[in-house]
PDB file of all heavy atoms in Angstrom:
ATOM      1  N   GLU I 411      84.721 110.858  55.559  1.00 77.00           N
ATOM      2  CA  GLU I 411      85.536 111.854  54.835  1.00 77.00           C
ATOM      3  C   GLU I 411      86.807 112.222  55.529  1.00 77.00           C
ATOM      4  O   GLU I 411      87.859 112.327  54.957  1.00 77.00           O
ATOM      5  CB  GLU I 411      84.662 113.084  54.593  1.00 77.00           C
ATOM      6  CG  GLU I 411      83.475 112.902  53.695  1.00 77.00           C
ATOM      7  CD  GLU I 411      82.299 112.315  54.451  1.00 77.00           C
ATOM      8  OE1 GLU I 411      82.377 112.195  55.670  1.00 77.00           O
ATOM      9  OE2 GLU I 411      81.354 111.880  53.796  1.00 77.00           O
ATOM     10  N   GLU I 412      86.719 112.391  56.869  1.00 76.00           N
ATOM     11  CA  GLU I 412      87.914 112.707  57.611  1.00 76.00           C
ATOM     12  C   GLU I 412      88.881 111.517  57.654  1.00 76.00           C
ATOM     13  O   GLU I 412      90.134 111.714  57.552  1.00 76.00           O
ATOM     14  CB  GLU I 412      87.529 113.042  59.042  1.00 76.00           C
ATOM     15  CG  GLU I 412      88.728 113.582  59.856  1.00 76.00           C
ATOM     16  CD  GLU I 412      88.274 114.009  61.257  1.00 76.00           C
ATOM     17  OE1 GLU I 412      87.046 113.974  61.509  1.00 76.00           O
ATOM     18  OE2 GLU I 412      89.145 114.413  62.075  1.00 76.00           O
ATOM     19  N   PHE I 413      88.351 110.277  57.610  1.00 75.00           N
ATOM     20  CA  PHE I 413      89.192 109.094  57.628  1.00 75.00           C
ATOM     21  C   PHE I 413      89.962 109.047  56.290  1.00 75.00           C
ATOM     22  O   PHE I 413      91.208 108.758  56.228  1.00 75.00           O
ATOM     23  CB  PHE I 413      88.404 107.845  57.810  1.00 75.00           C
ATOM     24  CG  PHE I 413      89.179 106.561  57.540  1.00 75.00           C
ATOM     25  CD1 PHE I 413      90.022 106.092  58.491  1.00 75.00           C
ATOM     26  CD2 PHE I 413      89.027 105.847  56.380  1.00 75.00           C
ATOM     27  CE1 PHE I 413      90.781 104.932  58.282  1.00 75.00           C
ATOM     28  CE2 PHE I 413      89.632 104.704  56.119  1.00 75.00           C
ATOM     29  CZ  PHE I 413      90.524 104.269  57.037  1.00 75.00           C
ATOM     30  N   GLU I 414      89.240 109.244  55.166  1.00 73.00           N
ATOM     31  CA  GLU I 414      89.959 109.228  53.857  1.00 73.00           C
ATOM     32  C   GLU I 414      90.940 110.304  53.724  1.00 73.00           C
ATOM     33  O   GLU I 414      92.093 110.082  53.147  1.00 73.00           O
ATOM     34  CB  GLU I 414      88.923 109.379  52.759  1.00 73.00           C
ATOM     35  CG  GLU I 414      87.944 108.238  52.629  1.00 73.00           C
ATOM     36  CD  GLU I 414      88.655 106.942  52.261  1.00 73.00           C
ATOM     37  OE1 GLU I 414      89.693 106.981  51.651  1.00 73.00           O
ATOM     38  OE2 GLU I 414      88.174 105.864  52.620  1.00 73.00           O
ATOM     39  N   TYR I 415      90.692 111.519  54.344  1.00 72.00           N
ATOM     40  CA  TYR I 415      91.651 112.599  54.281  1.00 72.00           C
ATOM     41  C   TYR I 415      92.943 112.221  55.074  1.00 72.00           C
ATOM     42  O   TYR I 415      94.054 112.437  54.634  1.00 72.00           O
ATOM     43  CB  TYR I 415      91.046 113.884  54.840  1.00 72.00           C
ATOM     44  CG  TYR I 415      92.041 115.017  54.893  1.00 72.00           C
ATOM     45  CD1 TYR I 415      92.286 115.816  53.798  1.00 72.00           C
ATOM     46  CD2 TYR I 415      92.667 115.342  56.069  1.00 72.00           C
ATOM     47  CE1 TYR I 415      93.236 116.858  53.874  1.00 72.00           C
ATOM     48  CE2 TYR I 415      93.566 116.411  56.158  1.00 72.00           C
ATOM     49  CZ  TYR I 415      93.840 117.162  55.061  1.00 72.00           C
ATOM     50  OH  TYR I 415      94.721 118.207  55.068  1.00 72.00           O
ATOM     51  N   GLN I 416      92.736 111.604  56.296  1.00 71.00           N
ATOM     52  CA  GLN I 416      93.901 111.273  57.083  1.00 71.00           C
ATOM     53  C   GLN I 416      94.683 110.199  56.482  1.00 71.00           C
ATOM     54  O   GLN I 416      95.936 110.198  56.549  1.00 71.00           O
ATOM     55  CB  GLN I 416      93.405 110.837  58.491  1.00 71.00           C
ATOM     56  CG  GLN I 416      92.829 112.013  59.327  1.00 71.00           C
ATOM     57  CD  GLN I 416      92.467 111.515  60.710  1.00 71.00           C
ATOM     58  OE1 GLN I 416      92.675 110.327  61.053  1.00 71.00           O
ATOM     59  NE2 GLN I 416      91.927 112.425  61.537  1.00 71.00           N
ATOM     60  N   ARG I 417      93.973 109.255  55.822  1.00 68.00           N
ATOM     61  CA  ARG I 417      94.703 108.142  55.146  1.00 68.00           C
ATOM     62  C   ARG I 417      95.547 108.643  53.955  1.00 68.00           C
ATOM     63  O   ARG I 417      96.656 108.127  53.658  1.00 68.00           O
ATOM     64  CB  ARG I 417      93.760 107.095  54.692  1.00 68.00           C
ATOM     65  CG  ARG I 417      94.444 105.867  54.128  1.00 68.00           C
ATOM     66  CD  ARG I 417      93.431 104.803  53.738  1.00 68.00           C
ATOM     67  NE  ARG I 417      92.589 105.216  52.656  1.00 68.00           N
ATOM     68  CZ  ARG I 417      91.729 104.418  51.982  1.00 68.00           C
ATOM     69  NH1 ARG I 417      91.565 103.176  52.439  1.00 68.00           N
ATOM     70  NH2 ARG I 417      91.012 104.859  50.990  1.00 68.00           N
ATOM     71  N   ALA I 418      94.996 109.646  53.223  1.00 66.00           N
ATOM     72  CA  ALA I 418      95.726 110.174  52.079  1.00 66.00           C
ATOM     73  C   ALA I 418      96.787 111.246  52.398  1.00 66.00           C
ATOM     74  O   ALA I 418      97.862 111.226  51.810  1.00 66.00           O
ATOM     75  CB  ALA I 418      94.700 110.797  51.058  1.00 66.00           C
ATOM     76  N   TYR I 419      96.545 112.057  53.388  1.00 66.00           N
ATOM     77  CA  TYR I 419      97.460 113.185  53.669  1.00 66.00           C
ATOM     78  C   TYR I 419      98.044 113.131  55.065  1.00 66.00           C
ATOM     79  O   TYR I 419      98.818 113.977  55.410  1.00 66.00           O
ATOM     80  CB  TYR I 419      96.722 114.498  53.498  1.00 66.00           C
ATOM     81  CG  TYR I 419      96.100 114.675  52.079  1.00 66.00           C
ATOM     82  CD1 TYR I 419      94.747 114.453  51.911  1.00 66.00           C
ATOM     83  CD2 TYR I 419      96.883 115.020  50.989  1.00 66.00           C
ATOM     84  CE1 TYR I 419      94.245 114.630  50.635  1.00 66.00           C
ATOM     85  CE2 TYR I 419      96.363 115.155  49.760  1.00 66.00           C
ATOM     86  CZ  TYR I 419      95.013 115.007  49.580  1.00 66.00           C
ATOM     87  OH  TYR I 419      94.480 115.153  48.338  1.00 66.00           O
ATOM     88  N   GLY I 420      97.572 112.176  55.889  1.00 66.00           N
ATOM     89  CA  GLY I 420      98.140 112.170  57.256  1.00 66.00           C
ATOM     90  C   GLY I 420      99.609 111.945  57.350  1.00 66.00           C
ATOM     91  O   GLY I 420     100.278 112.533  58.198  1.00 66.00           O
ATOM     92  N   SER I 421     100.135 111.009  56.493  1.00 67.00           N
ATOM     93  CA  SER I 421     101.623 110.764  56.513  1.00 67.00           C
ATOM     94  C   SER I 421     102.433 111.805  55.725  1.00 67.00           C
ATOM     95  O   SER I 421     103.637 111.897  55.928  1.00 67.00           O
ATOM     96  CB  SER I 421     101.855 109.371  56.025  1.00 67.00           C
ATOM     97  OG  SER I 421     101.367 109.202  54.705  1.00 67.00           O
ATOM     98  N   GLN I 422     101.814 112.529  54.748  1.00 76.00           N
ATOM     99  CA  GLN I 422     102.500 113.408  53.941  1.00 76.00           C
ATOM    100  C   GLN I 422     102.861 114.727  54.673  1.00 76.00           C
ATOM    101  O   GLN I 422     103.914 115.326  54.367  1.00 76.00           O
ATOM    102  CB  GLN I 422     101.739 113.762  52.648  1.00 76.00           C
ATOM    103  CG  GLN I 422     101.520 112.530  51.775  1.00 76.00           C
ATOM    104  CD  GLN I 422     100.849 112.907  50.437  1.00 76.00           C
ATOM    105  OE1 GLN I 422     100.538 114.070  50.194  1.00 76.00           O
ATOM    106  NE2 GLN I 422     100.558 111.928  49.603  1.00 76.00           N
ATOM    107  N   GLU I 423     102.020 115.139  55.564  1.00 77.00           N
ATOM    108  CA  GLU I 423     102.324 116.328  56.301  1.00 77.00           C
ATOM    109  C   GLU I 423     103.590 116.324  57.140  1.00 77.00           C
ATOM    110  O   GLU I 423     104.421 117.263  57.022  1.00 77.00           O
ATOM    111  CB  GLU I 423     101.104 116.753  57.131  1.00 77.00           C
ATOM    112  CG  GLU I 423      99.901 117.109  56.325  1.00 77.00           C
ATOM    113  CD  GLU I 423      98.690 117.370  57.188  1.00 77.00           C
ATOM    114  OE1 GLU I 423      98.822 117.261  58.439  1.00 77.00           O
ATOM    115  OE2 GLU I 423      97.586 117.773  56.692  1.00 77.00           O
ATOM    116  N   PRO I 424     103.792 115.194  57.935  1.00 79.00           N
ATOM    117  CA  PRO I 424     105.074 115.160  58.598  1.00 79.00           C
ATOM    118  C   PRO I 424     106.310 115.028  57.680  1.00 79.00           C
ATOM    119  O   PRO I 424     107.366 115.592  57.994  1.00 79.00           O
ATOM    120  CB  PRO I 424     104.953 113.885  59.508  1.00 79.00           C
ATOM    121  CG  PRO I 424     103.533 113.696  59.644  1.00 79.00           C
ATOM    122  CD  PRO I 424     102.919 114.162  58.302  1.00 79.00           C
ATOM    123  N   LEU I 425     106.137 114.360  56.526  1.00 81.00           N
ATOM    124  CA  LEU I 425     107.223 114.297  55.528  1.00 81.00           C
ATOM    125  C   LEU I 425     107.495 115.635  54.955  1.00 81.00           C
ATOM    126  O   LEU I 425     108.705 115.977  54.764  1.00 81.00           O
ATOM    127  CB  LEU I 425     106.873 113.249  54.552  1.00 81.00           C
ATOM    128  CG  LEU I 425     106.795 111.845  54.925  1.00 81.00           C
ATOM    129  CD1 LEU I 425     106.291 110.907  53.843  1.00 81.00           C
ATOM    130  CD2 LEU I 425     108.125 111.315  55.418  1.00 81.00           C
ATOM    131  N   ALA I 426     106.473 116.388  54.708  1.00 82.00           N
ATOM    132  CA  ALA I 426     106.652 117.704  54.132  1.00 82.00           C
ATOM    133  C   ALA I 426     107.411 118.609  55.139  1.00 82.00           C
ATOM    134  O   ALA I 426     108.268 119.390  54.788  1.00 82.00           O
ATOM    135  CB  ALA I 426     105.308 118.374  53.749  1.00 82.00           C
ATOM    136  N   GLU I 460     105.654 117.815  45.041  1.00 82.00           N
ATOM    137  CA  GLU I 460     104.756 118.893  45.494  1.00 82.00           C
ATOM    138  C   GLU I 460     105.538 120.109  45.970  1.00 82.00           C
ATOM    139  O   GLU I 460     105.067 121.251  45.849  1.00 82.00           O
ATOM    140  CB  GLU I 460     103.876 118.345  46.625  1.00 82.00           C
ATOM    141  CG  GLU I 460     102.793 119.315  47.064  1.00 82.00           C
ATOM    142  CD  GLU I 460     101.875 118.718  48.077  1.00 82.00           C
ATOM    143  OE1 GLU I 460     102.045 117.545  48.453  1.00 82.00           O
ATOM    144  OE2 GLU I 460     101.021 119.476  48.583  1.00 82.00           O
TER     145      GLU I 460
END
Side-chain angles (χ1 to χ4, degrees):
E411 294 79 11
E412 188 176 357
F413 171 77
E414 294 296 334
Y415 176 84
Q416 291 183 3
R417 185 176 67 172
Y419 302 101
S421 60
Q422 293 186 3
E423 294 178 357
L425 292 175
E460 186 176 359

